[in-house]
Amino acid sequence: MDTTPARDAQPLSRKFRAAWTAAVLAATTAPYIANYLRTPAGQSYTWIIPPYPNDAYGYRAWAQQAYDGRWLFSLKFTALPNPANIFLPFFLIAGKLARLTGLDIGLVFLLLKATGTALFAAAFFDFLRVWRLNRDAAAAASAFAACAAGAGVFMPWISPGGVPHQWMPVDAWLVDANTFWSLLWNPLFPFSLALILLAVSRAELATRDGDADAAWTCGAALALSALLHPYSLAVTLPLIAAMCAARGPGRKVRAWGPIAALALPTLAVVLYTVWRNPLLRVHNDIGTGPNVSMFALLAGFGFLPLIAAAGAVAGGEKFLRRHWPLAAWIALSMGLSQSPLWLHDKYVFGSHLALCILAAAALGPLLARYAWSPSPAARVALVLAAALPLTNAVHLREAVAEVDRNPDRDYRIGSGLSQALEFLRENTRREDVVFSDVSTSAKICALTGDTVVWGHWAQSVDALDRQQWISDALLQRTKVDRSMAFWNSGFDYLFLYGVTRDAFREPPNSDLLWGAEKIYSRDDAEIFRRPAERLFLNAGHQLSNSESSSGSPISRR
């Protein structure tokens, strides 16, 4: 296998790059098109695929705020007051584009994701050029990035009884930990990966070749990352600082100055926004779960860590001296994923890409060590076997099969629910608070723009308090007391759909509807408006914020 590094020439032909980009675009777009075409009459497709519809609705809720005219955003999955001071440029652009074109926000997400994937491909091939990989290594890196996965698909056979979540290989459940899955599922991730590649490759040019323009480009890429997907800076910023420090004092100052001048002020603004908004801090606390085990990380990366380690041993000091930034990138990501920092799972994002490139570079010295020069067909077979792509094949299959199963009606929405949501949007204000079950609340927030009391696992910062407050309302002595306590918990409308509607037909749940005005009833959906205050006054009660919030952990809007 050829191991001679090319200097600054693109190691892969234009045809190869075009074919690779087209193949990845097709694979990451086809499930959405298939789901749209397979949608039965009377249903509408939400342009969402598994595995996390709750997060997908959360993304759509951000864009819906921009669609409704906002430029700065607030948390909409809680009725607690919080300032509209969050700047999210990706969702701002998506919402404004949907408003301008009249396209569904979900379809705009798909079009943006395809655009981001094309930009990612351009940044990826440019990275391979800057890193001076030869043709064979660049082709292997391309194959790994396009399909490499880990042992997740094999765990049901290895452990039929299941394994604890922290020990499940990450390629089976953590989208951030796999390049292809990131391009398939998340409309934001392709742009974030492209910016990471651009920042690291320009840092390499700035510190290795003294390219001043590359330093400014690196700083701009980091600044955009801070606004678009700030979690990645926990890895890329110290990595690039280390690259600057390692290349000598002269180049360090020339490179780090422009980088810091653009990146650090933007990062400071993002951190200040979090500091100013206490609910964002609670959101980050809720989103920080138990650390993923190192076994789950390594098993989720499949054969790539073994290939990279073996190649480093075979290549020795020369290999490590040339590729240490990639190794440091991987080590930083995996190390931070084991830290107590907020949202530590997200620091794995992008490390799979670095591992793909490092493992591909390691194949040359590894094969040279054993004096094996495989034929072209053998090289293809070797790379595909090393990629272990079966888990990603399962993700592709489930992207259609799970939508057909449509649990909780997350992926396809019937006409009855669609009409009820349309009525709600046309007859309420976006600041109105709507109560419903958790699954329907996510749809309400995402598809109408109204505020809800829960519906997102991290943005619903007071969900546990809400559950307790509603339980306490059901314990009140009389029907009037129960209704007053229920409606005083901070919402203006009650949206009942499906089994939740049925649950409110019998006491004590039906008591909560005392005095409420039914403003919509059709198919299996009903909408109630907050009771008029005079009804409670006539019954000897007062519907007021001060009375309702006495002793309550919940502050009304």
Side-chain angles (χ1 to χ4, degrees), residues 87-127:
F87 180 56
L88 300 172
F90 176 82
F91 300 109
L92 178 66
I93 292 170
K96 298 301 183 186
L97 281 176
R99 184 81 181 193
L100 180 65
T101 62
L103 296 176
D104 185 90
I105 289 175
L107 180 56
V108 171
F109 276 167
L110 178 62
L111 296 175
L112 286 175
K113 185 175 74 69
T115 302
T117 301
L119 292 175
F120 161 77
F124 176 69
F125 290 122
D126 182 69
F127 188 98

Side-chain angles (χ1 to χ4, degrees), residues 152-396:
V153 72
F154 302 106
M155 290 308 292
W157 290 278
I158 296 173
S159 179
V163 296
H165 180 69
Q166 290 84 358
W167 291 86
M168 175 63 70
V170 290
D171 65 314
W173 61 272
L174 184 59
V175 176
D176 311 53
N178 186 271
T179 302
F180 175 80
W181 205 7
S182 294
L183 300 176
L184 172 68
W185 184 78
N186 194 304
L188 174 63
F189 281 3
F191 292 95
S192 184
L193 287 173
L195 287 172
I196 292 172
L197 289 172
L198 182 62
V200 176
S201 66
R202 266 45 199 175
E204 175 72 5
L205 288 175
T207 57
R208 184 190 69 197
D209 303 339
D211 187 334
D213 290 340
W216 287 107
T217 304
C218 174
L222 290 174
L224 285 174
S225 291
L227 296 173
L228 200 70
H229 194 222
Y231 310 110
S232 62
L233 262 68
V235 175
T236 52
L237 198 56
L239 170 65
I240 289 171
M243 292 172 68
C244 291
R247 294 282 165 77
R251 290 183 178 177
K252 172 174 64 179
V253 173
R254 289 195 299 271
W256 181 248
I259 293 171
L262 292 178
L264 294 184
T266 310
L267 179 60
V269 170
V270 173
L271 294 176
Y272 178 72
T273 300
V274 176
W275 177 76
R276 281 285 307 276
N277 192 333
L279 296 193
L280 281 179
R281 298 198 297 271
V282 177
H283 162 273
N284 290 344
D285 285 334
I286 294 173
T288 305
N291 293 97
V292 180
S293 69
M294 193 59 69
F295 169 81
L297 289 172
L298 293 175
F301 291 145
F303 291 128
L304 299 185
L306 296 175
I307 296 171
V313 172
E317 182 181 351
K318 180 181 178 181
F319 180 88
L320 293 174
R321 191 165 54 245
R322 184 173 168 212
H323 297 296
W324 72 264
L326 294 175
W329 179 353
I330 298 162
L332 269 170
S333 292
M334 298 182 73
L336 287 173
S337 74
Q338 304 301 302
S339 73
L341 296 176
W342 275 338
L343 304 166
H344 42 69
D345 288 354
K346 292 188 174 295
Y347 304 135
V348 178
F349 182 70
S351 60
H352 179 263
L353 194 54
L355 191 53
C356 289
I357 299 169
L358 185 61
L363 285 175
L366 186 60
L367 296 179
R369 175 74 173 267
Y370 296 98
W372 182 36
S373 181
S375 66
R379 292 177 190 176
V380 172
L382 173 65
V383 169
L384 290 178
L388 205 67
L390 294 179
T391 302
N392 280 330
V394 171
H395 293 324
L396 274 175

Side-chain angles (χ1 to χ4, degrees), residues 54-55 58 62 75 77-78 231 279-288 343 346 454-463:
N54 187 264
D55 281 336
W62 292 122
L75 298 178
F77 287 91
T78 174
Y231 310 110
L279 296 193
L280 281 179
R281 298 198 297 271
V282 177
H283 162 273
N284 290 344
D285 285 334
I286 294 173
T288 305
L343 304 166
K346 292 188 174 295
W454 47 35
H456 189 274
W457 62 279
Q459 291 189 46
S460 302
V461 295
D462 59 331

